[in-house]
Amino acid sequence: GRDEHVVTPRVVPHDLDQAQARTAAEKAFQSYAERFAKYEPTTKWVTESRCEIGFNVKGMKVTGVVELVPKQIEIDIEVPFLLRMFKGQAISVIEGEIRKWLDKAKAGAI
């Protein structure tokens, strides 16, 4: 059968350096942690460029990875089968927050 776990990460391109991209990502995480506190979001930088994220939805744990690679940020999340419809929405929220802060970083606002 088809492997439903083969998912390509959402890619957010940018033209900042790694330090600026990380600052933007950190600000994005802080911002959505406040906005979506009810989902108990967690973030943990496991390397300089890789952050593990997690949140709870309807009592289920959703985990993901945000990876800073040169000139782009990749967002990948794994959702339980019952929350499949939620996946696109979750990625879009994270992507929107990251794009907003990348724009601010580019403008020199952070």
Side-chain angles (χ1 to χ4, degrees):
R2 290 176 306 128
D3 184 352
E4 295 198 25
H5 295 290
V6 177
V7 183
T8 45
R10 184 78 59 93
V11 174
V12 183
H14 63 80
D15 51 12
L16 304 171
D17 65 30
Q18 285 290 85
Q20 290 171 307
R22 174 158 171 159
T23 298
E26 287 172 347
K27 296 279 190 188
F29 296 150
Q30 282 168 12
S31 175
Y32 88 62
E34 288 162 20
R35 284 177 53 202
F36 300 100
K38 69 178 178 182
Y39 295 118
E40 302 166 32
T42 58
T43 54
K44 180 179 154 203
W45 288 93
V46 287
T47 69
E48 280 298 301
S49 59
R50 183 181 176 89
C51 186
E52 293 177 351
I53 61 174
F55 37 97
N56 291 306
V57 182
K58 301 185 192 317
M60 288 177 268
K61 188 76 175 160
V62 176
T63 58
V65 172
V66 174
E67 186 101 45
L68 309 182
V69 296
K71 302 303 177 198
Q72 62 190 41
I73 294 178
E74 297 176 355
I75 307 162
D76 199 7
I77 62 171
E78 288 209 8
V79 297
F81 185 74
L82 293 171
L83 294 177
R84 264 186 339 207
M85 300 99 52
F86 176 80
K87 180 169 184 164
Q89 181 188 351
I91 289 184
S92 293
V93 166
I94 297 165
E95 179 186 6
E97 215 51 59
I98 286 175
R99 283 186 188 276
K100 183 171 85 183
W101 288 97
L102 285 170
D103 287 346
K104 289 186 184 198
K106 188 173 180 178
I110 55 174

